[in-house]
Amino acid sequence: MKIALYNSHGRVLEPFKPLTDKEVKLYACGPTVYNYAHLGNLRTYIFEDLLVRTLTYAGYKVRHVMNITDVGHLTGDGDEGEDKMLKSAQEKGMTPWDIAKFYADAFFADTARLNIQTPTVICKATEHIQDMIDLIKILEEKGFTYQAEGNVYFDVSKFPKYGEMALLDRTELKAGARIEVDTAKRNPQDFVLWFTNSKFGRQAMVWESPWGVGYPGWHVECSAMSRKYLGDQFDIHCGGVDHIPVHHTNEIAQTEAATGKEPWVQYWLHAEFLLTKTFKMSKSEGNFLTLSKIEEMGFEALDYRFFCLGAHYRTQLTFTEQALEGARAGRRALFEKVKSLPSPSPGFGPNQVSATGRDYLDRFEQYLGEDLNMPRALAELWGTLKDVTLGPEEKRWIINTMDRVFGLGLEALTPDGVPVPTQDPALAAEVEALIDERNTARKNKNFARADEIRNQLKGRGITIIDTPTGTSWENHERKM
RNA sequence: GGCGCCGUACCCAAGUGGUAAGGGAGAGGCCUGCAAAGCCUUCAUGCAUCAGUUCGAAUCUGAUCGGCGCCUCCA
């Protein structure tokens, strides 16, 4: 299976070939755990999951490393910059460590519900301070740093390639266009590797270092940890597009300066933003939607995953409630249809697939290989589902196979059982009793009473479904 | 001020030279006591606008209008 990926470095579509034959080393920038992840953040993690699943599907072994930023991420580089963790902790009356744990747990609860696979390695910044210090020491020995006003800075003038990936021309950048210039910097693009407590009086998370007690700058963690778990050079590094100009640009500079090896990363992949009608979702702006929020609105986590599948990862996706409702309806219809297909027998394999079935899979794989064109790949799933020439068992096998990439949990669906029943046994018993009464009424042609009961339940968000084999019900309507 | 991206039906969205994928919504029909679900059919002579290149353009070029992102922390 051929895979081509769009490399942000060079802005071109390139055939994918890992450094090591069948193993892919991948680093993905993880969350800064000072608040809940919002839907926009989650879109990027869904993209990364689809990437990992596609590579796995293609036969590669993927070593997926993701960091957790639990220290050092300031709201700005200057003296007015606040530590995001500390700020959040003070607002909630918790310690930064508690805040980090709380939001990291929330993050993984979200990704689990979205069927996002857990990375091979999850590494916390606070547990790798020494690795960062070691890296900064190398940079210092090689002459890439300077100290000013209590901080250790990376000197971008010593690294001529600075900004190459981002297509940044340093002379064209308008420093201070939107923010005060840090006067301690020699160049506006210089960035902090290590802060000392000379800048902050009360800092909860600090460590000893050769430059004094303090804490690391944000960018250095990804360089130090990726190096520790993936080596000096590896295959893929991904994140959101917003990381191109600053975070990833700085990572490249400090890593290649330290190791002297280039390119540090073979392929840079960046996911585009999720937008609302008038603004992008932004964690620091405070106005954003979380997964839990839309679940309260009556959606399921997988509705959002399905929604994201409908757009290519490199285009801005417009989020509206109407669009999510469309995704929900589509996802439910898909589940219903797949449910009615028999699970293939254990002996069923690729050899049992017909030429027509193979065509669907071939196109599916072709689209995956075209820079993860999920909308097209998904269209092949619908095509398979609707093809009348395919047998049900074969159809189900192909769909299950495709879902190894989509990750919607289709394989587990069965025609048996009540779909998504309530967790409340008392409510369940009450509903069952009403359904029994209604079915008796129907048998006696008392349709007025039957409809009355159905409408009553409908008003409580419970939908009744009559089938030839009996009546089932779902409790998934909007909870207000 | 600089850099980059985008504008496709009611909604989301694919498609980067060969005559508009897919999903949702809507409409008609079958089925049903009625619904729901399911199934069948239908749904852009046109891809912001105007010029141009070409045998041929949503796809290339230019201009115009509109929207977005980045150059601050940000997925």
Side-chain angles (χ1 to χ4, degrees):
Chain A
M1 181 173 157
K2 284 184 184 145
I3 296 178
L5 298 173
Y6 183 84
N7 195 345
S8 299
H9 193 157
R11 317 261 165 120
V12 281
L13 200 61
E14 295 179 338
F16 176 69
K17 193 177 178 306
L19 293 167
T20 317
D21 192 28
K22 275 287 167 192
E23 190 184 24
V24 178
K25 291 182 174 136
L26 181 152
Y27 186 90
C29 285
T32 300
V33 285
Y34 68 98
N35 202 337
Y36 292 106
H38 65 242
L39 294 179
N41 296 314
L42 261 11
R43 182 189 182 198
T44 297
Y45 299 108
I46 289 171
F47 148 67
E48 286 157 3
D49 185 56
L50 293 169
L51 173 64
V52 170
R53 286 171 179 271
T54 297
L55 293 169
T56 304
Y57 181 95
Y60 294 107
K61 185 171 178 293
V62 182
R63 183 168 169 80
H64 177 192
V65 178
M66 187 179 80
N67 64 297
I68 300 286
T69 300
D70 52 1
V71 67
H73 201 158
L74 306 190
T75 55
D77 255 1
D79 271 318
E80 78 288 351
E82 293 177 271
D83 184 309
K84 289 186 174 183
M85 296 297 305
L86 187 60
K87 188 177 175 212
S88 179
Q90 284 169 346
E91 283 167 4
K92 296 214 168 47
M94 294 164 78
T95 70
W97 306 91
D98 292 338
I99 286 287
K101 178 160 185 3
F102 180 82
Y103 287 114
D105 288 349
F107 175 77
F108 288 111
D110 282 352
T111 57
R113 274 174 293 153
L114 287 165
N115 284 176
I116 292 173
Q117 297 177 329
T118 309
T120 323
V121 176
I122 295 166
C123 42
K124 292 181 188 166
T126 49
E127 291 171 3
H128 297 78
I129 301 297
Q130 191 56 50
D131 299 293
M132 299 185 218
I133 290 173
D134 291 344
L135 187 77
I136 298 168
K137 279 202 301 210
I138 294 172
L139 290 170
E140 187 172 48
E141 284 160 17
K142 292 191 174 183
F144 286 100
T145 68
Y146 62 89
Q147 291 187 54
E149 294 181 28
N151 296 330
V152 180
Y153 289 92
F154 183 90
D155 185 350
V156 300
S157 69
K158 299 278 170 58
F159 190 76
K161 270 177 60 189
Y162 185 84
E164 185 182 84
M165 174 177 73
L167 301 181
L168 296 180
D169 182 343
R170 292 220 310 277
T171 61
E172 295 288 335
L173 292 176
K174 191 173 180 180
R178 295 165 67 190
I179 191 171
E180 288 293 308
V181 179
D182 181 348
T183 52
K185 292 179 178 182
R186 293 181 188 167
N187 289 299
Q189 284 78 47
D190 290 349
F191 53 92
V192 178
L193 295 167
W194 189 266
F195 291 97
T196 73
N197 60 0
S198 64
K199 288 185 79 170
F200 294 94
R202 296 180 300 109
Q203 190 70 28
M205 297 171 126
V206 289
W207 293 264
E208 293 282 352
S209 88
W211 311 280
V213 174
Y215 59 98
W218 174 43
H219 313 296
V220 74
E221 66 173 86
C222 292
S223 294
M225 293 193 285
S226 67
R227 186 163 178 238
K228 178 169 188 172
Y229 295 107
L230 297 172
D232 283 353
Q233 293 173 295
F234 55 93
D235 302 296
I236 303 174
H237 193 134
C238 33
V241 279
D242 51 325
H243 281 155
I244 297 173
V246 179
H247 184 51
H248 288 165
T249 292
N250 292 350
E251 283 184 47
I252 291 170
Q254 69 199 175
T255 307
E256 293 189 354
T259 65
K261 296 175 187 169
E262 62 176 82
W264 170 41
V265 170
Q266 302 289 324
Y267 303 88
W268 285 91
L269 270 53
H270 293 99
E272 255 297 351
F273 279 135
L274 180 75
L275 305 175
T276 68
K277 279 293 181 194
T278 49
F279 57 89
K280 72 162 182 167
M281 281 198 197
S282 175
K283 222 168 177 177
S284 51
E285 299 294 325
N287 190 2
F288 59 82
L289 238 34
T290 62
L291 191 63
S292 300
K293 192 84 77 53
I294 61 168
E295 285 173 327
E296 283 166 22
M297 290 161 71
F299 296 98
E300 288 178 44
L302 290 180
D303 292 331
Y304 182 63
R305 184 178 178 103
F306 186 82
F307 172 71
C308 290
L309 250 21
H312 186 90
Y313 77 88
R314 271 193 299 114
T315 64
Q316 295 178 340
L317 212 201
T318 311
F319 179 89
T320 61
E321 194 170 335
Q322 185 185 10
L324 222 212
E325 283 166 358
R328 173 172 63 188
R331 199 223 89 227
R332 283 180 181 171
L334 175 67
F335 275 35
E336 286 303 321
K337 291 180 177 98
V338 173
K339 233 181 232 179
S340 68
L341 260 21
S343 290
S345 55
F348 200 96
N351 294 338
Q352 275 75 356
V353 174
S354 64
T356 308
R358 190 60 240 173
D359 286 344
Y360 282 109
L361 278 171
D362 284 347
R363 282 191 298 270
F364 167 76
E365 291 170 10
Q366 176 198 328
Y367 290 131
L368 291 184
E370 292 174 1
D371 196 31
L372 272 45
N373 191 333
M374 291 302 152
R376 277 288 183 173
L378 192 60
E380 293 305 323
L381 188 154
W382 285 107
T384 303
L385 203 53
K386 292 181 173 177
D387 194 309
V388 293
T389 70
L390 260 29
E393 186 184 25
E394 172 187 21
K395 199 178 272 196
R396 184 64 190 266
W397 185 86
I398 294 169
I399 288 167
N400 286 171
T401 300
M402 291 177 171
D403 195 51
R404 282 160 47 197
V405 173
F406 296 130
L408 293 167
L410 300 182
E411 187 167 9
L413 295 176
T414 65
D416 317 313
V418 180
V420 202
T422 175
Q423 303 287 359
D424 181 353
L427 176 65
E430 186 193 344
V431 172
E432 295 293 345
L434 282 168
I435 286 176
D436 285 345
E437 185 190 340
R438 175 168 169 276
N439 282 338
T440 305
R442 289 173 70 209
K443 219 168 274 175
N444 299 329
K445 307 241 183 250
N446 184 359
F447 298 122
R449 176 58 187 155
D451 288 349
E452 189 187 336
I453 290 171
R454 186 174 59 206
N455 289 333
Q456 182 195 335
L457 288 170
K458 184 91 186 166
R460 295 166 60 179
I462 292 163
T463 305
I464 281 192
I465 302 138
D466 293 327
T467 72
T469 54
T471 301
S472 65
W473 57 284
E474 295 185 29
N475 180 19
H476 60 198
E477 291 305 313
R478 175 185 290 260
K479 293 174 238 163
M480 293 304 285

